[in-house]
Amino acid sequence: MPPPRICIIGAGPSGLATIKNLRAMGLENLVCYEAQGQVGGNWVYKDEAGHPSVYQSTHIISSKKLSSFDDFPMPADYPDFPSHRQILSYFEAYADHFGLRDPIRFNTKVEHAARLDSGRWRIATMGPEGGNETEFDHLIVCSGHHWSPYTPDCPGIFSGVQIHSHDYRKAKPFEGKRVLVVGGGNSACDIAVDTSRVSGKTAISLRRGYYIIPKIVLGRPVDVMYERLTPFPKRLRQIILRLGIRLAVGRYKHYGLAEPEARVMEMHPTLNSEILYQIRHGNVLVRKGIESLDGATVHFTDGTRDDYDVIIWATGYRTAFPFFDPDFIDWEEALDIPLYLKMMPADVPNLHFIGLFQPIGCIWTLADLQARIAALQIAGKLDRPADIKARIENEIRSPHWRFERTARHAVEVDYHAFKGELQRELARGHA
């Protein structure tokens, strides 16, 4: 039989790892479509509005130790938390080291992906030379889930400027402005700290309590410290982590913050060593959730109100795949994503998703393991589990932690537990 023809969508870190692993299996008949003009995905910084979501001051929140590909360590002179420029350079070096650029079609966007009656895929693209349609035997989606911004509906009309954190690039445009950042995740806290250095006033609106944790604990990256706890039972880990947070941070109410309602590890933590410092120094003001908007005035749920020039919505992303027909895949509001190991649908054996998960840690090192599994399957060296539907149901029924029942947590995984599951699946292919 002729070698299978494989389509890959996206040349970010997950897409690059996929190309590498397919070629390691001798699968060379592949094409990777990348909407941008270079590798790197969201790590490509742009001043103007564009697809990448990284901003000028971005540093990774997982440590260098746990963010390096197993077969390609980061440079020894990189700091514990490299900048976005260093990370982009790392991905470019990775692509060059393994010779991954040849199959990539840059500046080419996938407009539509349809599964034909034959089982093959028809991929419609728009590139520098216009539109094109090509058929493939396999489709691997590596476009991630950090590119379709979600902004909540809010009663009223705001007269100032509104942007999503996806379009935030640097603090300078907000010099002297009254800025309200909405959200309590990593991007929200990073942007609040960033703008507070130049703004006339920066506040952060939080509708609930968050676990805000320093990136460095006892002189070590916090994810490295957590790795040492993984042999302990989950409940004991939670107790140790809660005590550690209390010793490192104290009570959140001392910062004017609500205490989290969920247990630690049952909601995504925010890793930031500066936001609490800036709050205690009055450089970032804490506000409750937004009740309504009225011109320049924002009304909060505790009855207070304040005026702002800018609202930055750091409110996350939708899990969206606009190139699929909605009756085929529509997970924008889904509370559960029906994929085995967050990568395999039960009824479509020639479709894989790589990197469609959110760990408390690094995505692309785990995506590399997913890509190895996909490559083994396509090469015929690893069968899909015969009971894949039951396995998907079990993953949904028994998540790694009892995460909040929200679309935000539909793709949440525990880094170390998920890594173990992927490694066990890989072991089946080498048995």
Side-chain angles (χ1 to χ4, degrees):
M1 294 180 63
R5 185 162 174 75
I6 306 164
C7 173
I8 303 162
I9 301 178
S14 296
L16 293 176
T18 298
I19 296 171
K20 184 205 69 174
N21 282 288
L22 289 173
R23 285 184 154 179
M25 286 289 106
L27 300 165
E28 296 282 354
N29 191 7
L30 53 91
V31 177
C32 176
Y33 296 115
E34 169 53 53
Q36 299 184 102
Q38 64 185 102
V39 301
N42 282 339
W43 293 93
V44 179
Y45 171 75
K46 290 184 179 180
D47 283 312
E48 70 278 8
H51 292 95
S53 62
V54 72
Y55 36 90
Q56 191 177 58
S57 60
T58 300
H59 288 249
I60 59 173
I61 59 173
S62 55
S63 67
K64 175 179 71 173
K65 179 180 183 293
L66 296 181
S67 300
S68 292
F69 286 113
D70 289 343
D71 53 1
F72 194 74
M74 288 190 189
D77 61 350
Y78 270 27
D80 284 325
F81 298 97
S83 71
H84 70 86
R85 292 181 180 86
Q86 291 170 313
I87 291 298
L88 180 57
S89 294
Y90 172 66
F91 292 143
E92 290 173 333
Y94 179 83
D96 292 335
H97 177 77
F98 291 105
L100 306 178
R101 297 180 188 270
D102 289 349
I104 304 174
R105 304 294 179 263
F106 291 108
N107 298 307
T108 303
K109 181 180 179 182
V110 173
E111 301 282 352
H112 190 238
R115 195 162 188 261
L116 306 175
D117 292 341
S118 64
R120 302 190 82 209
W121 291 94
R122 178 180 293 143
I123 307 299
T125 60
M126 181 61 67
E129 299 177 358
N132 188 40
E133 287 190 353
T134 310
E135 290 191 13
F136 294 89
D137 299 298
H138 293 268
L139 174 60
I140 305 180
V141 179
C142 305
S143 55
H145 56 285
H146 286 157
W147 61 272
S148 181
Y150 167 72
T151 302
D153 293 329
C154 192
I157 297 175
F158 182 64
S159 61
V161 174
Q162 299 185 68
I163 68 168
H164 191 274
S165 58
H166 183 76
D167 298 313
Y168 178 85
R169 294 294 175 266
K170 54 188 174 183
K172 186 172 178 57
F174 306 98
E175 188 171 358
K177 304 291 187 181
R178 299 169 296 180
V179 178
L180 178 66
V181 181
V182 182
N186 292 295
S187 294
C189 291
D190 284 348
I191 291 171
V193 169
D194 205 27
T195 58
S196 71
R197 298 188 175 102
V198 301
S199 67
K201 173 177 67 178
T202 289
I204 186 167
S205 170
L206 303 163
R207 61 183 176 86
R208 60 176 182 175
Y210 289 80
Y211 287 104
I212 301 177
I213 303 171
K215 294 168 76 172
I216 298 292
V217 176
L218 299 178
R220 303 294 300 278
V222 68
D223 58 350
V224 174
M225 296 297 289
Y226 175 70
E227 186 179 30
R228 298 180 178 181
L229 299 180
T230 54
F232 294 103
K234 290 168 63 173
R235 187 71 184 105
L236 179 56
R237 264 184 278 166
Q238 287 182 305
I239 294 171
I240 295 171
L241 288 169
R242 192 71 184 92
L243 177 61
I245 294 170
R246 182 63 56 83
L247 291 173
V249 174
R251 294 186 180 275
Y252 289 109
K253 68 178 182 180
H254 295 154
Y255 302 85
L257 301 168
E259 293 290 333
E261 295 182 4
R263 291 175 177 173
V264 65
M265 300 301 292
E266 295 182 5
M267 60 185 294
H268 199 82
T270 298
L271 302 184
N272 191 295
S273 296
E274 295 186 78
I275 185 67
L276 299 178
Y277 173 92
Q278 297 294 353
I279 288 172
R280 293 297 285 267
H281 284 73
N283 297 325
V284 175
L285 308 175
V286 178
R287 298 289 182 259
K288 297 296 185 180
I290 296 176
E291 184 174 83
S292 64
L293 307 172
D294 183 13
T297 303
V298 178
H299 297 263
F300 299 99
T301 55
D302 62 352
T304 62
R305 63 182 184 180
D306 207 351
D307 293 343
Y308 298 95
D309 303 303
V310 180
I311 297 178
I312 302 175
W313 298 93
T315 44
Y317 296 84
R318 300 179 186 275
T319 303
F321 302 98
F323 43 81
F324 286 133
D325 290 332
D327 59 353
F328 179 68
I329 285 179
D330 183 5
W331 294 333
E332 287 199 11
E333 305 296 334
L335 299 180
D336 301 306
I337 304 297
L339 297 172
Y340 176 51
L341 294 176
K342 297 292 187 286
M343 62 180 292
M344 296 175 231
D347 299 322
V348 190
N350 61 344
L351 172 63
H352 292 86
F353 293 84
I354 306 297
L356 184 61
F357 54 87
Q358 183 65 55
I360 302 171
C362 182
I363 290 178
W364 56 81
T365 54
L366 300 179
D368 184 40
L369 298 177
Q370 286 187 322
R372 292 184 207 175
I373 293 170
L376 284 168
Q377 287 188 349
I378 295 171
K381 297 183 179 181
L382 175 63
D383 293 332
R384 284 160 53 93
D387 60 345
I388 188 170
K389 288 186 177 180
R391 293 186 183 218
I392 291 172
E393 291 172 1
N394 182 62
E395 285 188 22
I396 292 172
R397 186 173 57 252
S398 304
H400 297 143
W401 299 93
R402 290 294 171 186
F403 300 117
E404 294 177 299
R405 187 77 172 149
T406 63
R408 165 72 175 82
H409 287 80
V411 293
E412 197 85 11
V413 298
D414 179 277
Y415 179 93
H416 298 284
F418 192 49
K419 183 176 182 179
E421 292 168 4
L422 294 171
Q423 289 174 330
R424 287 191 289 275
E425 185 69 12
L426 277 170
R428 289 202 310 115
H430 298 291

